[in-house]
Every structure is written in C-alpha cells, then in structure tokens.
C-alpha cells in the first residue's frame, strides 16, 4: 500500500488540496463521513477522485473485473404506477403495450444458450394474479434448472404482498420455494422523501425498500442496491442515499453490488437532461469510497455506453454487469446503446483496460478467469 501511495496519491500530485485529508483517511482505512462525500461530489479533480476509488477497489478486488452471461426479461410494460422519470409504462389502450405469457418467457430463455442468469423486472401489472408470478418461477426452474433467477425489485415484492394479502416473509417463502435465487437492486431511485414525492409519490417508501432487502437478507438471499441520479436530486441526497445503504450493509452484509442508474429523460414526464460522463464517473467513484462494506461496484453499460463503462474500470468499478440480450426500460427513455453485449466483447473491453476478465454467476461464484 505504501508503494501505491508514493506513486499517485502524494499531496504534491493532488490538484484539489482540500481532498488531502480524505486521501489520508482512505489510505489509512478510515471510514468517510457525510461531509467527505459532499466534498468528493463537489470537486472537479476527477483524476484524484478516480485514483482514490481505484485504490479502494484494488484492495478489494485486485485487477479482477466480473461479468455474467445473462438475459434480461421485462415481463410487461403495463403498470399501475405513474413515476415521472419512467418512459417504459404503458396503459392497456396503448398500441405498444405488451404482456408476456409464461410460454413466451420460456421461449425467450430457450432462444439464447449458455446463460447462467435470468434477470426479471417489470411494470406492476394491474390484473395479473399472485399465482402468475409463482407459476412463472416454477416453470422457469423446471425447464432451466441450471439457471439462477434474479427477479423482482423491492417495489415488485411490495406489489406481490398487496395483491396476495400476505406478509413479506410469507411472500419470500413462496418465491424461494418456486425458484427465486436473488433480488436485483432496482426501485431505490433516491431515498429523499421530498424528492420521492415529486418523482414517484405512489412508490414504496425508502424505509420499505430497505426493509424488504433486510428481510431478503434474513432469508439468505443476496441482493443488489441502486440509485437513480441526475434528475432533481442534490449531492446531499446522493450521499444520504449511499450512507443509508452502508448502514444496512453493516447490519446484514447481504448486499453484493451497488449499481448507479443514470437518469434518461427522453419520453418522460419529468424531462430534463442526460447526465454527463464527468458526473457518471463521479457517481461511481464516490460510491466506491463511501460504500466501504460493499464488495462490488457495477457499471451498467446499457446506461453508460460501453466506452465510458470501460473507462469506469479505473474509477472504482469491478463489474460490467452482463450480456443483457434484451432491455426495454432504459431504451424507452432514450438510451442509444445496444441491448446485447456478446461475451467476447465484454472480455475485450476488460482486457484492453489492463484488467483480468472473470465470468461469474449471479452470486459471484467464479465460472472462468480469462487470463
């Protein structure tokens, strides 16, 4: 560690001298505070911020960068919600609304060989019964027993509780018995109550989001966590969000990865602008140094684009998500990326960055290291 300090984090090489106390904290392993997080978001010294995040990441993960061969399935764009940042939601009368049958889901999985993960998130369908979701998991597991099912955001779990009349623990018992393996991190958006009232007043509260993940961890399910940034939140909102995740992770240890979702404004009620690359790298870097108890920071290339995602591997990121294959939610809001990244392309991006590609499963068991 001392050698790393001398090569790139000596005070003389730090452009923003106000960051030096934070540099010293990170090098000594001291936990950062709320005020430290604000200072990091406000700095324009992106290179020092990146070096700090890279330093923390290398202590945890060395030069390894993970990816998974997975398929995303969005079951339906029909939704009872009305989130202002969402361009995916449709009403039944809309010409481009859709709802997949279980057979159609199985055909989508069958059409792509070699996947180890099915990732399922969707709108909150106004008519589907609780039994549909249970049967869906059972049929996927019966037909593809080797595939890990990562499904249903905390928002969807809350919806399943409401339509079933069951408690959260009972719902998890049913889902796990049917084949659920882990939870994705979506639905967190931003934890600020004031901002949530403006963005998604009908959505579950931040307390409920954290409660659902806490219960999932109690059942032994690994989960991810996320943030939606770049809309109307402040830096203070971002840091508070990260620290609340850190607090729950201290308690349960059940989070695997943190994912930052950049806001996409096209076709939304909220409008606004796309995030910048500078802000995207800041978000990932600050997350890496504040979330000292999270094993992994993931760059979702669907939102960032593959080139910025590749650069992020030197800004605290150690995971490029996966092959994805099909994604509708972000593309509805103006993402101009593709929706499929071949495994060979992921490996190339990682190797060219000077890192070692590692194919993993959903819960970070190593499938193959590509030295």
């Amino acid at each position: 560690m001392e050698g790393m300090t001398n090569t790139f984090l000596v005070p003389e090489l730090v452009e923003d001298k106000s960051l030096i106390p934070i540099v010293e904290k990170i090098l000594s392993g001291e936990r950062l505070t709320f005020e430290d997080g604000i200072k990091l978001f406000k700095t324009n010294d992106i290179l020092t911020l990146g070096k700090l995040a890279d330093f923390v990441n290398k202590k945890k993960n060395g030069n390894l960068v993970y990816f998974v061969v997975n398929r995303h399935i969005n079951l339906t764009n029909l939704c009872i919600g009305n989130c202002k940042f969402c361009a995916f939601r449709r009403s039944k009368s809309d010409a481009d609304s859709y709802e997949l049958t279980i057979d159609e889901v199985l055909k989508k999985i069958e059409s792509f060989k070699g996947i180890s993960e099915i990732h399922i998130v969707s709108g909150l369908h106004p008519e589907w019964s609780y039994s549909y979701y249970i049967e869906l998991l059972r049929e996927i597991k019966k037909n593809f027993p080797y595939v890990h099912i990562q499904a249903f955001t905390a928002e969807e779990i809350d919806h399943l509780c409401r339509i079933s009349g069951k408690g959260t623990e009972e719902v998890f018992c049913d889902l796990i018995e049917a084949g659920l393996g882990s939870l994705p991190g979506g639905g967190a958006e931003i934890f600020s109550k004031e901002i949530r009232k403006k963005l998604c007043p009908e959505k579950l509260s931040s307390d409920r989001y954290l409660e659902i993940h806490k219960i999932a961890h109690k059942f032994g399910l690994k989960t991810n966590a996320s943030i939606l940034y770049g809309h109307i939140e402040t830096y203070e909102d971002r840091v508070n969000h990260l620290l609340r995740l850190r607090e729950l992770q201290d308690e349960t240890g059940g989070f695997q990865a943190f994912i930052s979702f950049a806001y996409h404004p096209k076709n939304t009620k909220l409008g606004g602008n796309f995030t910048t690359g500078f802000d995207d790298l800041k978000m990932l870097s600050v997350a890496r140094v504040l979330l000292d108890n999270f094993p992994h920071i993931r760059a979702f290339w669907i939102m960032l684009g593959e080139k910025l995602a590749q650069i992020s591997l030197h800004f605290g990121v150690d995971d490029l998500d996966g092959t994805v294959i099909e994604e509708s939610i972000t593309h509805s809001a103006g993402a101009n990326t593709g929706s499929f990244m071949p495994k060979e392309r992921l490996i190339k991006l990682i190797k060219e960055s000077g890192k070692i590609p590692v194919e993993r499963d959903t819960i970070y068991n190593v499938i193959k290291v590509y030295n």
Side-chain angles (χ1 to χ4, degrees), residues 247-267:
E247 182 180 3
L248 180 56
Q249 182 74 335
D250 278 342
E251 183 179 348
T252 68
F255 287 119
Q256 296 190 120
F258 173 79
I259 309 151
S260 56
F261 294 132
Y263 171 61
H264 282 52
K266 190 174 179 182
N267 302 318

Side-chain angles (χ1 to χ4, degrees), residues 80 124 130 152-168 171-172 175 183 202-205 207-209 211-212:
I80 61 175
L124 308 180
Y130 183 66
F152 311 137
T153 64
E155 177 74 16
E156 291 171 279
I157 297 295
D158 191 58
H159 177 69
L160 293 178
C161 292
R162 291 196 304 273
I163 65 174
S164 67
K166 297 185 176 188
T168 310
V171 166
F172 272 126
L175 295 174
L183 257 62
E202 302 167 355
K203 205 157 197 168
L204 84 173
S205 68
D207 289 342
R208 178 63 172 149
Y209 176 94
E211 177 191 26
I212 288 172

Side-chain angles (χ1 to χ4, degrees), residues 235-248:
Y235 287 152
E236 286 77 10
D237 294 327
R238 293 186 191 183
V239 175
N240 174 68
H241 187 106
L242 293 172
L243 295 187
R244 290 189 69 187
L245 291 174
R246 189 173 78 178
E247 182 180 3
L248 180 56

Side-chain angles (χ1 to χ4, degrees), residues 74-129:
N74 305 130
L75 299 172
T76 181
N77 59 0
L78 295 175
C79 187
I80 61 175
N82 195 26
C83 300
K84 291 180 173 60
F85 57 79
C86 180
F88 178 65
R89 176 192 178 276
R90 295 292 185 274
S91 299
K92 206 153 193 176
S93 58
D94 292 328
D96 57 348
S97 66
Y98 75 90
E99 45 192 334
L100 298 179
T101 65
I102 292 176
D103 283 343
E104 287 171 331
V105 171
L106 297 178
K107 287 177 182 177
K108 283 179 177 289
I109 299 171
E110 176 65 32
S111 68
F112 193 86
K113 307 296 182 181
I115 57 176
S116 63
E117 172 190 291
I118 298 297
H119 181 105
I120 301 174
V121 296
S122 291
L124 308 180
H125 195 286
E127 298 173 1
W128 280 349
S129 67

Side-chain angles (χ1 to χ4, degrees), residues 1-137:
M1 187 168 72
E2 184 64 30
M4 295 175 69
T5 305
N6 289 336
T7 55
F8 58 72
L9 287 175
V10 292
E12 291 78 7
L13 297 180
V14 176
E15 180 181 328
D16 182 351
K17 302 305 180 186
S18 72
L19 297 182
I20 290 176
I22 298 177
V23 171
E24 292 171 347
K25 277 187 176 183
I26 290 175
L27 294 177
S28 65
E30 185 178 344
R31 175 164 273 190
L32 299 187
T33 65
F34 178 89
E35 291 73 22
D36 293 331
I38 298 299
K39 188 174 290 185
L40 290 170
F41 270 120
K42 287 184 175 180
T43 187
N44 291 321
D45 189 357
I46 193 71
L47 294 181
T48 295
L49 179 54
K51 288 169 185 175
L52 287 170
D54 193 48
F55 175 81
V56 172
N57 177 48
K58 283 180 177 176
K59 285 175 65 179
K60 289 181 176 291
N61 299 297
N63 277 320
L64 303 180
V65 173
Y66 298 88
F67 69 92
V68 64
V69 179
N70 65 348
R71 172 162 195 141
H72 282 218
I73 296 179
N74 305 130
L75 299 172
T76 181
N77 59 0
L78 295 175
C79 187
I80 61 175
N82 195 26
C83 300
K84 291 180 173 60
F85 57 79
C86 180
F88 178 65
R89 176 192 178 276
R90 295 292 185 274
S91 299
K92 206 153 193 176
S93 58
D94 292 328
D96 57 348
S97 66
Y98 75 90
E99 45 192 334
L100 298 179
T101 65
I102 292 176
D103 283 343
E104 287 171 331
V105 171
L106 297 178
K107 287 177 182 177
K108 283 179 177 289
I109 299 171
E110 176 65 32
S111 68
F112 193 86
K113 307 296 182 181
I115 57 176
S116 63
E117 172 190 291
I118 298 297
H119 181 105
I120 301 174
V121 296
S122 291
L124 308 180
H125 195 286
E127 298 173 1
W128 280 349
S129 67
Y130 183 66
S131 61
Y132 167 87
Y133 297 92
I134 301 300
E135 185 183 357
L136 171 71
L137 294 183

Side-chain angles (χ1 to χ4, degrees), residues 191-236:
F191 286 158
S192 164
K193 290 182 180 179
E194 293 73 20
I195 301 298
R196 288 182 87 83
K197 286 178 183 177
K198 297 176 182 178
L199 293 181
C200 47
E202 302 167 355
K203 205 157 197 168
L204 84 173
S205 68
S206 56
D207 289 342
R208 178 63 172 149
Y209 176 94
L210 293 169
E211 177 191 26
I212 288 172
H213 280 268
K214 182 177 179 178
I215 295 172
H217 298 166
K218 176 183 174 182
F219 276 87
L221 294 176
K222 294 296 185 181
T223 76
N224 297 323
S226 68
I227 190 172
L228 179 70
Y229 70 99
H231 39 85
I232 58 174
E233 87 289 356
T234 64
Y235 287 152
E236 286 77 10

